[in-house]
Amino acid sequence: MKYKHNPKLTDNARQLRKNMTQEERHLWYDFLRNYPVRFLRQKVIDNYIVDFYCANAKLVIELDGGQHFEDDALQYDAVRTEKLTAHGLQVLRIPNNEIQENFENVCEYIDYTVCNLCKIQGEIPPPLTRSPSL
């Protein structure tokens, strides 16, 4: 499925890919980059740039730092999640501290979610071919 794309955000997304946070870098290089189901990073969908996107599972993964737990950010994230959900996507919000302190369980949770969503979409995901690097 094609999602509305705001070309004005393409350069910004490219910059975000070059300047990932420590947690984004850890999740990407130590798990998602070689995951058997393809993920993209800093994908433009509608008027947003999502941290990670899997088309097969119709899944968005957002990593949330401390600023995401302030009132204004919580409201913005709720609207953003609602708009992404309206496109038929599921949004996983993972706090940065979970990446830092509980990486293996985060990877298992993502794997479980992707496998279930792919089954719902009628796709058979390949089994996880390797354990997450810690």
Side-chain angles (χ1 to χ4, degrees):
M1 172 182 225
K2 292 271 185 187
Y3 301 104
K4 188 172 135 184
H5 175 89
N6 182 343
K8 294 177 184 176
L9 296 176
T10 302
D11 287 339
N12 192 16
R14 188 174 296 120
Q15 286 302 314
L16 289 170
R17 278 191 295 275
K18 289 179 183 179
N19 299 301
M20 289 189 291
T21 66
Q22 177 183 350
E23 293 80 13
E24 290 170 342
R25 194 174 305 118
H26 185 26
L27 185 60
W28 177 251
Y29 286 108
D30 296 331
F31 186 65
L32 294 178
R33 182 176 68 158
N34 293 317
Y35 188 75
V37 179
R38 185 173 184 220
F39 273 86
L40 300 174
R41 56 196 170 119
Q42 306 304 334
K43 169 79 173 152
V44 177
I45 298 176
D46 203 352
N47 288 313
Y48 303 105
I49 301 171
V50 301
D51 291 336
F52 300 100
Y53 169 69
C54 177
N56 291 34
K58 295 185 180 177
L59 175 66
V60 168
I61 299 174
E62 293 282 72
L63 302 187
D64 294 341
Q67 73 276 12
H68 286 270
F69 300 101
E70 297 171 5
D71 288 339
D72 290 345
L74 287 170
Q75 286 181 312
Y76 174 80
D77 286 346
V79 170
R80 177 183 168 114
T81 297
E82 184 178 313
K83 289 188 178 188
L84 292 169
T85 303
H87 284 292
L89 301 171
Q90 179 166 331
V91 179
L92 288 184
R93 302 197 82 80
I94 301 171
N96 280 348
N97 68 321
E98 288 295 320
I99 298 292
Q100 298 163 352
E101 299 167 10
N102 202 8
F103 187 70
E104 187 172 343
N105 286 337
V106 167
C107 295
E108 289 174 8
Y109 176 58
I110 292 169
D111 182 54
Y112 175 82
T113 303
V114 169
C115 288
N116 284 328
L117 290 172
C118 284
K119 287 176 189 171
I120 291 168
Q121 305 305 330
E123 307 227 2
I124 306 298
L128 185 59
T129 56
R130 62 178 185 77
S131 337
S133 302
L134 297 178

